[in-house]
Amino acid sequence: MSQSTDTTLGESPLSIASGRHGRHLGRRLVQLYIGLTLYGVSSALLVRSGLGLEPWNVLHEGLAERTGLTIGVVSIIVGAAVLLLWIPIRQRPGLGTVSNVFVVGLAMDGTLALVPDVHPLTGRIPLLAAGIVLNGVATGLYIAARFGPGPRDGLMTGLHRLTGWSIRLVRTAIEVAVVATGFLLGGSVGVGTVLYALAIGPLAQFFLRRFAVPEPDSGSTAVAPGTPEQAILRP
């Protein structure tokens, strides 16, 4: 991540508390599951582009190559394993955390079953662009729903809290490790991996503002500095 943890998303910060009650609960649930589903769809489009994956899916694809499991199933297994690491670092999962483990992987495998391989570069480039933009939309949707971070992002923010290291350093260390491991296992690293890293922060910030759900007690539409969800938005 490239920014410090106290940087807000704009002039009016959006509070992303993970409470489960309030008059916007129905909207938040819809946003959560649409966002997680679209996240899986976007990841599948990046796979089909063949031009490089986001960091964790480099690892998932490498493990899938070695185990014979689908990349979606590997994503679920890795997500569950990472969630277990929350126990010693005393992170508390929310509905969005647990849903993330399963919904993203299932949506990813479902999309891969429907979308065929694309070989011409003229078809792969639009898939890459669509995958990155859709991932930004999905990230904005599910973070703004305020049901807690995904397992991997919670691991990052938990380690940040325990070690005192910056979010930038913790995230960089984790993602370099997973990309390197995934690449050695056969995962796809390419121009798409770089473009994703550069674009996802600005895209997620943009769509988070669009999908922000006001807090029921204040109607505020700003992000509280230093929250785990805010840390996800650092490119």
Side-chain angles (χ1 to χ4, degrees):
M1 297 251 168
S2 64
Q3 301 175 22
S4 65
T5 58
D6 59 356
T7 303
T8 58
L9 298 185
E11 294 179 357
S12 124
L14 166 69
S15 173
I16 311 194
S18 57
R20 292 169 291 182
H21 306 290
R23 59 193 175 97
H24 298 293
L25 180 60
R27 172 183 166 180
R28 290 168 57 209
L29 285 168
V30 170
Q31 279 197 201
L32 171 66
Y33 289 107
I34 290 178
L36 293 177
T37 300
L38 291 181
Y39 199 102
V41 172
S42 69
S43 293
L45 295 181
L46 293 176
V47 171
R48 286 293 184 243
S49 78
L51 295 173
L53 302 177
E54 63 267 52
W56 279 94
N57 274 329
V58 175
L59 175 62
H60 298 156
E61 187 180 57
L63 289 171
E65 292 285 336
R66 295 303 179 107
T67 62
L69 299 172
T70 66
I71 189 170
V73 170
V74 170
S75 173
I76 292 171
I77 293 171
V78 171
V82 171
L83 191 54
L84 290 176
L85 295 177
W86 282 34
I87 297 173
I89 61 176
R90 298 182 180 180
Q91 288 282 92
R92 297 179 62 183
L95 174 64
T97 308
V98 178
S99 298
N100 184 296
V101 172
F102 298 99
V103 175
V104 172
L106 293 173
M108 193 173 181
D109 274 352
T111 304
L112 288 172
L114 295 173
V115 179
D117 287 320
V118 177
H119 298 291
L121 190 60
T122 51
R124 293 161 63 195
I125 292 176
L127 277 180
L128 173 65
I132 292 174
V133 172
L134 188 59
N135 194 278
V137 173
T139 301
L141 278 167
Y142 91 80
I143 291 177
R146 307 195 313 268
F147 282 107
R152 297 156 185 84
D153 293 304
L155 175 64
M156 172 190 67
T157 55
L159 290 174
H160 157 68
R161 176 175 50 82
L162 283 181
T163 63
W165 297 349
S166 68
I167 285 288
R168 179 191 309 176
L169 177 58
V170 173
R171 178 150 186 169
T172 299
I174 291 174
E175 294 193 349
V176 166
V178 298
V179 168
T181 303
F183 178 73
L184 292 174
L185 292 172
S188 299
V189 178
V191 63
T193 309
V194 177
L195 290 177
Y196 178 89
L198 293 174
I200 191 57
L203 284 171
Q205 287 182 344
F206 175 83
F207 288 111
L208 177 56
R209 295 191 190 100
R210 298 303 178 273
F211 300 128
V213 181
E215 289 283 7
D217 57 344
S218 66
S220 172
T221 56
V223 177
T227 59
E229 289 86 351
Q230 185 196 15
I232 300 170
L233 305 182
R234 316 266 179 242

